[in-house]
Amino acid sequence: MEESAARVVVELIGVAGAGKTSIAAALVGLDERIRARPRVHNGTYAATVPTLLPTFLSLHWPPRRVLTKEMKRILRVHALHRLVRTTSGPGLILFDEGPIYMLARLLVFGGAAVQTRAFAHWWRGAIALWARTLSAIVWVDASDDLLGTRLNARAQAHRLRGASESVMRAFFASYRAAYQRVLDDLAAAGAPAPWMVATNGSSAQDAALAILARIRTLPPPALPVVEIA
């Protein structure tokens, strides 16, 4: 049994270096009611695991290597939804490494593990779940050259720092293709079309102002609907 969330839920998506984290921080500075990157507590993960045991078993039948990373990403997709359902009070939930990000990572790194009927069955359910939960999707992007420059200048470590231009371009392309696949499936399930935001020539503050103006035009979410899985 799943209950869709009756609250505004927005996800910022985009490849590394696009500016998601900076924009999220700017949005919080503009409106203190925005809950950005809400923490998922261990209790939420623990409460989510039992509902996923049939899924985890089906992914390993016939027996194969233990899909540790895949299971963690699947768990995160559902734990985030449980967080949305159980969060009380006014405001907006803003993800910048949310369900779409996790679904894209499953495609980018899943390999043969995501080429099974069991995974396809789970995927359809996860897509349907988030299609009726997300109020808006904001796709943040920039040119490959600028993305590479930002990654090399980051204070925090990144796997692509110092990589060749061809490696970086291939990485960006793989993530963009994965995001597009997720968005296409979400759209087919009724999710809103993404808002495209280019950060080539605008500051995080300017992008946040434009995004917030659109967020404030969103209709109020519908009341929760309990659906039998």
Coordinates of all heavy atoms in Angstrom, one line a residue, residues 15-92:
V15 N 23.9 17.0 -14.5 CA 25.2 16.4 -14.3 C 26.0 17.1 -13.3 O 25.7 18.3 -12.9 CB 25.9 16.3 -15.7 CG1 25.1 15.5 -16.7 CG2 26.2 17.7 -16.3
A16 N 27.1 16.5 -12.9 CA 28.0 17.1 -11.9 C 28.6 18.4 -12.5 O 29.0 18.5 -13.6 CB 29.2 16.2 -11.6
G17 N 28.5 19.5 -11.6 CA 29.0 20.8 -12.0 C 28.0 21.7 -12.6 O 28.3 22.8 -12.9
A18 N 26.8 21.2 -12.7 CA 25.7 22.0 -13.3 C 25.3 23.2 -12.4 O 24.8 24.2 -12.9 CB 24.5 21.2 -13.7
G19 N 25.5 23.0 -11.1 CA 25.1 24.0 -10.1 C 23.9 23.7 -9.2 O 23.4 24.6 -8.6
K20 N 23.6 22.4 -9.1 CA 22.4 22.1 -8.4 C 22.5 22.4 -6.9 O 21.6 23.0 -6.3 CB 22.1 20.5 -8.5 CG 22.0 20.0 -9.9 CD 21.6 18.5 -9.9 CE 22.8 17.7 -9.3 NZ 24.0 17.8 -10.1
T21 N 23.6 22.1 -6.3 CA 23.8 22.4 -4.9 C 23.8 23.9 -4.6 O 23.2 24.3 -3.6 CB 25.1 21.8 -4.4 OG1 25.1 20.3 -4.6 CG2 25.3 22.0 -2.9
S22 N 24.5 24.7 -5.4 CA 24.5 26.1 -5.2 C 23.1 26.7 -5.4 O 22.7 27.6 -4.6 CB 25.4 26.8 -6.2 OG 26.8 26.3 -6.0
I23 N 22.3 26.2 -6.3 CA 21.0 26.7 -6.5 C 20.1 26.3 -5.4 O 19.3 27.1 -4.9 CB 20.4 26.2 -7.9 CG1 21.2 26.9 -9.0 CG2 18.9 26.5 -8.0 CD1 20.8 26.3 -10.4
A24 N 20.2 25.1 -4.9 CA 19.4 24.7 -3.7 C 19.7 25.6 -2.5 O 18.8 26.0 -1.8 CB 19.7 23.2 -3.4
A25 N 21.0 25.9 -2.3 CA 21.3 26.7 -1.1 C 20.7 28.1 -1.3 O 20.2 28.7 -0.4 CB 22.8 26.8 -1.0
A26 N 20.8 28.6 -2.6 CA 20.2 30.0 -2.9 C 18.7 30.0 -2.6 O 18.1 30.9 -2.1 CB 20.6 30.4 -4.3
L27 N 18.0 28.9 -3.0 CA 16.6 28.8 -2.8 C 16.2 28.8 -1.4 O 15.3 29.5 -1.0 CB 16.0 27.5 -3.5 CG 15.9 27.6 -5.0 CD1 15.7 26.2 -5.6 CD2 14.7 28.5 -5.4
V28 N 17.0 28.1 -0.5 CA 16.7 28.1 0.9 C 16.9 29.6 1.5 O 16.2 30.0 2.3 CB 17.7 27.1 1.6 CG1 17.5 27.3 3.1 CG2 17.3 25.7 1.2
G29 N 17.9 30.3 0.9 CA 18.1 31.6 1.4 C 17.0 32.6 1.0 O 16.8 33.6 1.7
L30 N 16.3 32.3 -0.1 CA 15.2 33.1 -0.5 C 13.9 32.8 0.2 O 13.0 33.6 0.3 CB 15.0 32.9 -2.1 CG 16.1 33.4 -2.9 CD1 15.9 33.0 -4.4 CD2 16.2 35.0 -2.9
D31 N 13.7 31.5 0.6 CA 12.5 31.1 1.3 C 12.8 30.1 2.3 O 13.2 28.9 2.0 CB 11.5 30.6 0.2 CG 10.1 30.4 0.8 OD1 10.0 30.2 2.0 OD2 9.2 30.4 0.0
E32 N 12.7 30.5 3.6 CA 13.1 29.6 4.7 C 12.2 28.4 4.8 O 12.5 27.4 5.5 CB 13.2 30.3 6.0 CG 11.8 30.9 6.4 CD 11.9 31.7 7.7 OE1 13.1 32.0 8.1 OE2 10.9 32.1 8.2
R33 N 11.0 28.4 4.1 CA 10.1 27.3 4.2 C 10.5 26.1 3.4 O 10.0 25.0 3.5 CB 8.7 27.7 3.8 CG 8.1 28.8 4.7 CD 6.8 29.3 4.1 NE 7.1 30.0 2.9 CZ 6.1 30.5 2.1 NH1 4.9 30.4 2.4 NH2 6.5 31.2 1.0
I34 N 11.5 26.3 2.5 CA 12.0 25.3 1.6 C 12.9 24.3 2.4 O 13.9 24.8 3.1 CB 12.8 25.8 0.4 CG1 11.8 26.6 -0.5 CG2 13.4 24.7 -0.4 CD1 12.5 27.3 -1.6
R35 N 12.6 23.1 2.4 CA 13.5 22.1 3.1 C 14.3 21.4 2.0 O 13.8 20.5 1.3 CB 12.6 21.0 3.8 CG 11.7 21.7 4.8 CD 10.9 20.6 5.6 NE 11.8 19.6 6.1 CZ 11.4 18.8 7.1 NH1 10.2 18.8 7.6 NH2 12.3 17.9 7.6
A36 N 15.6 21.8 1.9 CA 16.4 21.3 0.9 C 17.3 20.1 1.4 O 17.7 20.2 2.6 CB 17.4 22.4 0.3
R37 N 17.5 19.1 0.6 CA 18.3 17.9 0.9 C 17.9 17.4 2.3 O 18.7 17.2 3.2 CB 19.8 18.3 0.9 CG 20.2 18.9 -0.4 CD 21.7 19.0 -0.5 NE 22.3 17.7 -1.0 CZ 23.6 17.5 -1.2 NH1 24.4 18.5 -1.0 NH2 24.0 16.4 -1.7
P38 N 16.6 17.1 2.6 CA 16.2 16.6 3.9 C 16.9 15.3 4.2 O 17.1 14.5 3.3 CB 14.7 16.4 3.8 CG 14.5 16.3 2.3 CD 15.5 17.1 1.6
R39 N 17.3 15.2 5.4 CA 18.1 14.0 5.8 C 17.1 12.8 6.0 O 16.1 12.9 6.6 CB 18.8 14.2 7.1 CG 19.7 13.0 7.6 CD 20.3 13.3 8.9 NE 21.0 12.2 9.4 CZ 21.5 12.1 10.6 NH1 21.4 13.1 11.5 NH2 22.1 11.0 11.0
V40 N 17.6 11.6 5.4 CA 16.8 10.4 5.7 C 17.5 9.7 6.8 O 18.6 9.3 6.8 CB 16.9 9.5 4.4 CG1 16.0 8.2 4.7 CG2 16.3 10.2 3.2
H41 N 16.7 9.5 7.9 CA 17.3 8.9 9.1 C 17.3 7.4 9.0 O 16.6 6.8 8.2 CB 16.4 9.3 10.3 CG 16.5 10.8 10.6 ND1 17.6 11.4 11.2 CD2 15.6 11.8 10.3 CE1 17.4 12.7 11.3 NE2 16.2 13.0 10.8
N42 N 18.1 6.8 9.8 CA 18.3 5.3 9.7 C 17.0 4.6 10.0 O 16.7 3.5 9.4 CB 19.3 4.9 10.7 CG 20.7 5.3 10.4 OD1 21.0 5.5 9.2 ND2 21.6 5.4 11.3
G43 N 16.1 5.2 10.8 CA 14.8 4.6 11.1 C 14.0 4.5 9.9 O 13.2 3.5 9.7
T44 N 14.1 5.5 9.0 CA 13.3 5.5 7.7 C 13.8 4.4 6.8 O 13.0 3.7 6.2 CB 13.4 6.8 7.0 OG1 12.9 7.9 7.9 CG2 12.6 6.9 5.8
Y45 N 15.1 4.2 6.7 CA 15.6 3.1 5.9 C 15.2 1.8 6.5 O 14.7 0.9 5.8 CB 17.2 3.2 5.9 CG 17.7 4.2 5.0 CD1 18.5 5.3 5.6 CD2 17.5 4.2 3.7 CE1 19.0 6.3 4.8 CE2 18.1 5.2 2.8 CZ 18.8 6.2 3.4 OH 19.3 7.2 2.6
A46 N 15.2 1.6 7.8 CA 14.9 0.3 8.5 C 13.4 0.0 8.2 O 13.0 -1.1 8.0 CB 15.2 0.4 10.0
A47 N 12.6 1.1 8.3 CA 11.1 0.8 8.1 C 10.8 0.5 6.6 O 9.8 -0.1 6.3 CB 10.3 2.1 8.5
T48 N 11.7 0.9 5.7 CA 11.5 0.7 4.3 C 11.9 -0.7 3.8 O 11.3 -1.3 2.9 CB 12.2 1.8 3.4 OG1 11.8 3.1 3.9 CG2 11.8 1.7 2.0
V49 N 12.9 -1.2 4.4 CA 13.5 -2.5 4.0 C 12.5 -3.6 3.9 O 12.5 -4.3 2.8 CB 14.7 -2.9 4.9 CG1 15.1 -4.4 4.7 CG2 15.9 -2.0 4.7
P50 N 11.6 -3.9 4.9 CA 10.7 -5.0 4.8 C 9.8 -5.0 3.5 O 9.6 -6.0 2.9 CB 9.9 -4.9 6.1 CG 10.8 -4.2 7.0 CD 11.5 -3.2 6.2
T51 N 9.4 -3.8 3.1 CA 8.5 -3.7 2.0 C 9.3 -4.0 0.7 O 8.6 -4.3 -0.3 CB 7.9 -2.3 1.8 OG1 9.0 -1.3 1.6 CG2 7.2 -1.9 3.1
L52 N 10.6 -4.0 0.7 CA 11.4 -4.2 -0.5 C 12.0 -5.6 -0.6 O 12.6 -6.0 -1.6 CB 12.5 -3.2 -0.6 CG 12.1 -1.8 -0.9 CD1 13.3 -0.8 -0.8 CD2 11.5 -1.7 -2.3
L53 N 11.8 -6.4 0.5 CA 12.4 -7.8 0.5 C 12.0 -8.6 -0.7 O 12.8 -9.3 -1.4 CB 12.1 -8.5 1.8 CG 12.8 -8.0 3.0 CD1 12.4 -8.7 4.3 CD2 14.3 -8.1 2.8
P54 N 10.7 -8.6 -1.1 CA 10.3 -9.4 -2.3 C 11.0 -8.9 -3.6 O 11.4 -9.7 -4.4 CB 8.8 -9.2 -2.4 CG 8.4 -8.8 -1.0 CD 9.5 -8.1 -0.4
T55 N 11.2 -7.6 -3.7 CA 11.9 -7.0 -4.8 C 13.4 -7.5 -4.8 O 13.9 -7.9 -5.8 CB 11.9 -5.5 -4.8 OG1 10.5 -5.0 -4.9 CG2 12.7 -4.9 -5.9
F56 N 14.0 -7.4 -3.7 CA 15.4 -7.8 -3.6 C 15.6 -9.3 -3.9 O 16.6 -9.7 -4.6 CB 16.0 -7.5 -2.2 CG 16.1 -6.0 -1.9 CD1 16.1 -5.6 -0.6 CD2 16.2 -5.1 -2.9 CE1 16.3 -4.2 -0.3 CE2 16.3 -3.7 -2.6 CZ 16.4 -3.3 -1.3
L57 N 14.7 -10.1 -3.4 CA 14.8 -11.5 -3.8 C 14.6 -11.8 -5.2 O 15.3 -12.6 -5.8 CB 13.7 -12.3 -2.9 CG 13.9 -12.4 -1.4 CD1 12.7 -13.0 -0.7 CD2 15.2 -13.2 -1.1
S58 N 13.6 -11.1 -5.9 CA 13.4 -11.3 -7.3 C 14.6 -10.8 -8.1 O 14.8 -11.4 -9.2 CB 12.1 -10.6 -7.7 OG 12.3 -9.2 -7.6
L59 N 15.3 -9.8 -7.7 CA 16.4 -9.3 -8.4 C 17.6 -10.3 -8.4 O 18.5 -10.3 -9.3 CB 16.9 -8.0 -7.9 CG 16.0 -6.8 -8.1 CD1 16.6 -5.6 -7.3 CD2 15.9 -6.5 -9.6
H60 N 17.6 -11.2 -7.4 CA 18.6 -12.2 -7.3 C 18.2 -13.6 -7.7 O 18.9 -14.6 -7.4 CB 19.1 -12.3 -5.8 CG 19.9 -11.0 -5.4 ND1 19.3 -9.9 -5.0 CD2 21.2 -10.8 -5.5 CE1 20.2 -9.0 -4.7 NE2 21.4 -9.5 -5.0
W61 N 17.1 -13.7 -8.4 CA 16.6 -15.0 -8.9 C 16.6 -15.0 -10.5 O 16.0 -14.2 -11.0 CB 15.3 -15.4 -8.4 CG 14.9 -16.8 -8.6 CD1 14.1 -17.3 -9.6 CD2 15.4 -17.9 -7.9 NE1 14.1 -18.6 -9.6 CE2 14.9 -19.1 -8.6 CE3 16.3 -18.1 -6.9 CZ2 15.1 -20.4 -8.2 CZ3 16.5 -19.4 -6.4 CH2 16.0 -20.5 -7.1
P62 N 17.3 -16.0 -11.1 CA 18.1 -17.0 -10.5 C 19.3 -16.4 -9.7 O 19.7 -15.3 -10.0 CB 18.6 -17.8 -11.7 CG 18.5 -16.9 -12.8 CD 17.3 -16.0 -12.6
P63 N 19.9 -17.2 -8.8 CA 21.0 -16.7 -8.0 C 22.1 -16.1 -8.8 O 22.5 -16.6 -9.9 CB 21.5 -17.9 -7.3 CG 20.3 -18.8 -7.2 CD 19.6 -18.6 -8.5
R64 N 22.6 -14.9 -8.4 CA 23.7 -14.2 -9.0 C 24.5 -13.5 -8.0 O 24.3 -13.7 -6.8 CB 23.2 -13.2 -10.0 CG 22.3 -12.1 -9.3 CD 21.7 -11.1 -10.3 NE 20.6 -11.8 -11.0 CZ 20.0 -11.3 -12.1 NH1 20.5 -10.1 -12.6 NH2 19.0 -11.9 -12.7
R65 N 25.5 -12.7 -8.4 CA 26.3 -11.9 -7.4 C 25.3 -11.0 -6.6 O 24.3 -10.6 -7.1 CB 27.3 -11.1 -8.1 CG 26.8 -10.0 -9.0 CD 27.9 -9.1 -9.6 NE 27.3 -8.1 -10.5 CZ 26.9 -6.9 -10.1 NH1 27.0 -6.6 -8.8 NH2 26.5 -6.0 -10.9
V66 N 25.7 -10.7 -5.4 CA 24.9 -9.8 -4.6 C 25.0 -8.4 -5.1 O 26.0 -7.8 -5.3 CB 25.4 -9.8 -3.1 CG1 24.6 -8.9 -2.3 CG2 25.4 -11.3 -2.6
L67 N 23.8 -7.9 -5.4 CA 23.7 -6.5 -6.0 C 23.6 -5.5 -5.0 O 22.6 -4.8 -4.8 CB 22.5 -6.5 -6.9 CG 22.4 -7.6 -8.0 CD1 21.0 -7.5 -8.8 CD2 23.5 -7.4 -9.0
T68 N 24.8 -5.3 -4.2 CA 24.8 -4.4 -3.1 C 24.5 -3.0 -3.4 O 23.6 -2.3 -2.8 CB 26.2 -4.5 -2.4 OG1 26.5 -5.8 -2.1 CG2 26.2 -3.6 -1.1
K69 N 25.2 -2.4 -4.4 CA 25.0 -1.0 -4.8 C 23.6 -0.8 -5.4 O 22.9 0.2 -5.1 CB 26.0 -0.6 -5.8 CG 27.4 -0.5 -5.2 CD 28.4 0.0 -6.2 CE 29.8 0.1 -5.5 NZ 30.9 0.6 -6.5
E70 N 23.1 -1.7 -6.2 CA 21.8 -1.6 -6.8 C 20.7 -1.6 -5.7 O 19.8 -0.8 -5.7 CB 21.5 -2.7 -7.8 CG 22.3 -2.6 -9.1 CD 23.8 -3.1 -8.9 OE1 24.1 -3.6 -7.8 OE2 24.5 -3.1 -9.9
M71 N 20.9 -2.5 -4.7 CA 19.9 -2.5 -3.6 C 19.9 -1.3 -2.8 O 18.8 -0.8 -2.4 CB 20.1 -3.8 -2.7 CG 19.7 -5.1 -3.4 SD 19.7 -6.5 -2.2 CE 21.4 -6.6 -1.7
K72 N 21.1 -0.7 -2.6 CA 21.2 0.6 -1.8 C 20.5 1.7 -2.6 O 19.8 2.5 -1.9 CB 22.6 0.9 -1.6 CG 23.3 0.1 -0.5 CD 24.8 0.5 -0.3 CE 25.4 -0.3 0.8 NZ 26.8 0.2 1.0
R73 N 20.6 1.7 -3.9 CA 20.0 2.8 -4.7 C 18.5 2.6 -4.7 O 17.7 3.6 -4.6 CB 20.6 2.8 -6.1 CG 22.0 3.4 -6.0 CD 22.8 3.1 -7.3 NE 24.2 3.6 -7.2 CZ 25.2 3.1 -7.8 NH1 25.0 2.1 -8.7 NH2 26.4 3.5 -7.6
I74 N 18.0 1.4 -4.8 CA 16.6 1.1 -4.8 C 16.0 1.5 -3.4 O 14.9 2.1 -3.3 CB 16.3 -0.4 -5.1 CG1 16.6 -0.6 -6.6 CG2 14.9 -0.8 -4.7 CD1 16.6 -2.1 -7.0
L75 N 16.7 1.1 -2.4 CA 16.3 1.4 -1.0 C 16.2 3.0 -0.9 O 15.2 3.5 -0.3 CB 17.2 0.9 0.0 CG 17.0 1.3 1.5 CD1 15.6 0.8 1.9 CD2 18.1 0.7 2.4
R76 N 17.1 3.7 -1.4 CA 17.1 5.1 -1.3 C 15.9 5.7 -2.0 O 15.2 6.6 -1.5 CB 18.4 5.7 -1.9 CG 18.5 7.2 -2.0 CD 19.1 7.8 -0.8 NE 19.2 9.2 -0.9 CZ 19.3 10.0 0.2 NH1 19.2 9.6 1.4 NH2 19.5 11.3 0.0
V77 N 15.6 5.2 -3.2 CA 14.4 5.7 -4.0 C 13.1 5.6 -3.1 O 12.3 6.5 -3.1 CB 14.2 4.9 -5.3 CG1 12.9 5.2 -5.9 CG2 15.4 5.2 -6.3
H78 N 13.0 4.5 -2.4 CA 11.8 4.3 -1.6 C 11.8 5.0 -0.3 O 10.8 5.4 0.2 CB 11.5 2.8 -1.5 CG 11.0 2.1 -2.7 ND1 9.7 2.1 -3.1 CD2 11.7 1.6 -3.8 CE1 9.6 1.5 -4.3 NE2 10.8 1.2 -4.7
A79 N 13.0 5.1 0.3 CA 13.1 5.8 1.6 C 12.9 7.2 1.4 O 12.3 7.9 2.3 CB 14.6 5.6 2.2
L80 N 13.3 7.8 0.3 CA 13.0 9.2 0.0 C 11.4 9.4 -0.1 O 10.9 10.4 0.4 CB 13.6 9.7 -1.3 CG 15.1 9.8 -1.2 CD1 15.7 10.1 -2.6 CD2 15.5 11.0 -0.3
H81 N 10.7 8.5 -0.7 CA 9.3 8.6 -0.7 C 8.7 8.5 0.6 O 7.7 9.2 1.0 CB 8.7 7.6 -1.7 CG 7.3 7.9 -2.1 ND1 6.2 7.4 -1.4 CD2 6.8 8.7 -3.0 CE1 5.1 7.8 -1.9 NE2 5.4 8.6 -2.9
R82 N 9.2 7.6 1.5 CA 8.6 7.5 2.8 C 8.9 8.8 3.6 O 8.0 9.2 4.4 CB 9.3 6.3 3.5 CG 8.8 6.0 5.0 CD 9.4 4.8 5.6 NE 9.0 3.6 4.9 CZ 7.9 2.9 5.3 NH1 7.1 3.4 6.3 NH2 7.6 1.8 4.6
L83 N 10.0 9.4 3.4 CA 10.3 10.7 4.0 C 9.3 11.7 3.6 O 8.8 12.5 4.5 CB 11.7 11.1 3.6 CG 12.2 12.5 4.2 CD1 13.7 12.4 4.4 CD2 11.9 13.6 3.2
V84 N 9.0 11.8 2.3 CA 8.0 12.7 1.8 C 6.7 12.5 2.5 O 6.0 13.4 3.0 CB 7.9 12.7 0.3 CG1 6.7 13.5 -0.2 CG2 9.1 13.2 -0.4
R85 N 6.2 11.2 2.6 CA 4.9 10.9 3.1 C 4.8 11.2 4.6 O 3.7 11.5 5.1 CB 4.6 9.4 2.9 CG 4.4 9.0 1.5 CD 3.8 7.6 1.3 NE 4.7 6.6 1.8 CZ 4.5 5.9 2.9 NH1 3.4 6.1 3.7 NH2 5.4 4.9 3.2
T86 N 6.0 11.1 5.3 CA 5.9 11.2 6.8 C 6.3 12.6 7.3 O 6.3 12.9 8.5 CB 6.8 10.2 7.4 OG1 8.1 10.3 7.0 CG2 6.3 8.8 7.1
T87 N 6.7 13.5 6.3 CA 7.1 14.8 6.7 C 5.9 15.7 7.0 O 5.0 15.7 6.1 CB 8.0 15.5 5.6 OG1 9.2 14.7 5.5 CG2 8.3 16.9 6.0
S88 N 5.9 16.4 8.1 CA 4.7 17.2 8.4 C 5.1 18.7 8.4 O 6.2 19.0 8.4 CB 4.2 16.8 9.8 OG 5.2 17.0 10.8
G89 N 4.1 19.5 8.4 CA 4.3 20.9 8.5 C 4.3 21.6 7.1 O 4.4 20.9 6.1
P90 N 4.2 22.9 7.1 CA 4.2 23.6 5.8 C 5.5 23.6 5.1 O 6.6 23.3 5.7 CB 3.7 25.0 6.2 CG 4.3 25.2 7.6 CD 4.1 23.8 8.2
G91 N 5.5 24.0 3.8 CA 6.8 24.2 3.1 C 6.9 23.3 1.9 O 6.0 22.6 1.6
L92 N 8.1 23.3 1.4 CA 8.4 22.6 0.1 C 9.6 21.7 0.4 O 10.6 22.1 1.0 CB 8.6 23.6 -1.0 CG 9.1 23.1 -2.3 CD1 8.6 24.1 -3.4 CD2 10.6 23.1 -2.4

